[in-house]
Amino acid sequence: MPKFIDTHPMEPFTEQQLRDLQNAPADEFGVSHHDILFSKKDNLIYCVLEAPNAEAIHKHHAKAGIACDWIHEVESTRSK
């Protein structure tokens, strides 16, 4: 499945909510969290997601009331 990275504000999420999301199953859009990186100081989250396409990423975040600053498809050196 393709991987994407995006960024958006951390608010309104708490650190615990992000940790819970990390292990959540794929949602109805086919999006699952590969990794979630965050900076409380900068109020930023960087999501590394697996998804069928960028549109699924937009829908995933819109459902949570979040708009991404940007989304890029990426490749990983990490093996599964």
Side-chain angles (χ1 to χ4, degrees):
M1 174 114 28
K3 286 188 178 51
F4 296 84
I5 189 167
D6 67 60
T7 188
H8 55 81
M10 184 166 173
E11 292 178 0
F13 297 105
T14 66
E15 183 176 341
Q16 186 57 52
Q17 287 173 314
L18 296 178
R19 291 187 189 288
D20 293 343
L21 283 171
Q22 178 62 56
N23 298 313
D27 68 9
E28 66 266 33
F29 310 113
V31 177
S32 61
H33 295 87
H34 181 74
D35 202 354
I36 302 172
L37 309 164
F38 64 94
S39 170
K40 289 181 192 177
K41 178 181 76 107
D42 296 323
N43 187 36
L44 282 175
I45 295 175
Y46 298 89
C47 299
V48 182
L49 305 168
E50 293 184 344
N53 52 50
E55 183 59 28
I57 304 281
H58 283 291
K59 290 177 181 178
H60 170 83
H61 285 88
K63 182 179 175 184
I66 299 294
C68 294
D69 297 326
W70 48 259
I71 299 171
H72 295 287
E73 187 168 352
V74 295
E75 294 184 35
S76 175
T77 59
R78 181 183 282 188
S79 342
K80 285 196 161 197

